[in-house]
Amino acid sequence: MTAKIIDGVAIAKVVKEECRNRVEILKSKGTTPGLAVVIVGEDPASKVYVRNKIHACEEVGIHSAIHEFPGTASQQEIITCVRGLNQDPAIHGILVQLPLPAGIESRRVLEGIAAEKDVDGFHLRNVGALTVGEPALPPCTPAGIVRMLEHEKIAIWGQNAVIVGASNIVGKPAALMLLQRGATVSLCNSKTQNLAQYTIMADILVVATGRPGIITGPMVKKGATVIDVGINRLSNGKLVGDVDFEGARNRATYITPVPGGVGPMTVACLVSNTVQAAERAAGI
Ligand code: NDP
């Protein structure tokens, strides 16, 4: 068996095309959606991510603004900036690029963002809304994963979903979103004993650990869908996920590549959340 590769770039294009149409409607009613990105410090990877996000917004007609701070900026300066953006009617989405430099408490900064402008879905109100299944701005990476599964018409209801990695931004919200769609969910972390006994049961296997090669072919159930969230730069410069792609591909029915899988979907879902926030502000 050779799995079908889920093309995240192509599905992201579809999502962005939908967003472009929604932006046109918003503009015809007098609202141009706006995204503000706050970036602190000089982390090169963060700068690349921010550039991609701004570019994707521009592609669909969203106005964007970057607020750059040196790594020496204080927590209060960042919070003051965020509070100013909360009051700005031209800005519908605010994103603080993580990680923040040591000494700045991310949670304090994220709680400073107005929940209705929290397009990353990290504010406690949005996390709580997700937990109880209320409509909210969902975290972008899990939203992108669900959108990929839906696009490929992969069943979630009644399936075994195993998530490897339990972070607040990927693993936990992905578990909640799949649970709400009727999956039976196992959420594994670094303390999980005998990881393979869980992964081998997975009809849908989501891997988000930042550990290249943590999932090998024999750990994948025959016929599974494998979603590889990991992004790892090897010492030879190659970009890989967390899954042994060739090993898993021979057992799975569907698999996402790295790059070109979950990454572009995360960006597309950020664009979609920004449009959604603007629609709500405009009463649409
Ligand atoms: P974190 O470091 O915040 O979390 C990693 C999680 O993996 C933790 O829950 C940790 O367990 C778990 N873990 C670590 N080692 C093991 C192990 N041996 N067995 C089982 N679980 C393990 O990472 P993120 O969630 O932020 O990111 C994960 C990966 O996804 C990274 O490569 C990141 O670059 C990538 N990423 C990709 C995105 C995309 O758009 N494609 C978006 C966001 C992240 P514990 O809780 O016990 O510490």
Side-chain angles (χ1 to χ4, degrees), residues 137-196:
L137 290 168
C140 301
T141 301
I145 292 170
V146 168
R147 183 65 200 258
M148 283 174 130
L149 296 172
E150 288 173 351
H151 183 93
E152 296 292 339
K153 301 192 169 45
I154 295 165
I156 301 175
W157 189 268
Q159 301 297 293
N160 277 341
V162 177
I163 324 284
V164 184
S167 70
N168 290 333
I169 64 168
V170 186
K172 283 184 205 164
L176 282 167
M177 291 177 82
L178 293 173
L179 180 68
Q180 277 152 13
R181 285 162 180 78
T184 302
V185 176
S186 305
L187 184 54
C188 303
N189 57 46
S190 65
K191 283 73 91 182
T192 300
Q193 306 280 319
N194 192 355
L195 187 59

Side-chain angles (χ1 to χ4, degrees), residues 49 140-141 163-172 188-192 195 207-211 214 228-232 240-242 258 261-267:
Y49 292 142
C140 301
T141 301
I163 324 284
V164 184
S167 70
N168 290 333
I169 64 168
V170 186
K172 283 184 205 164
C188 303
N189 57 46
S190 65
K191 283 73 91 182
T192 300
L195 187 59
V207 190
T209 64
R211 306 279 183 278
I214 190 171
D228 191 352
V229 183
I231 303 175
N232 308 289
V240 298
D242 290 353
V258 178
V262 177
M265 290 302 295
T266 298
V267 177

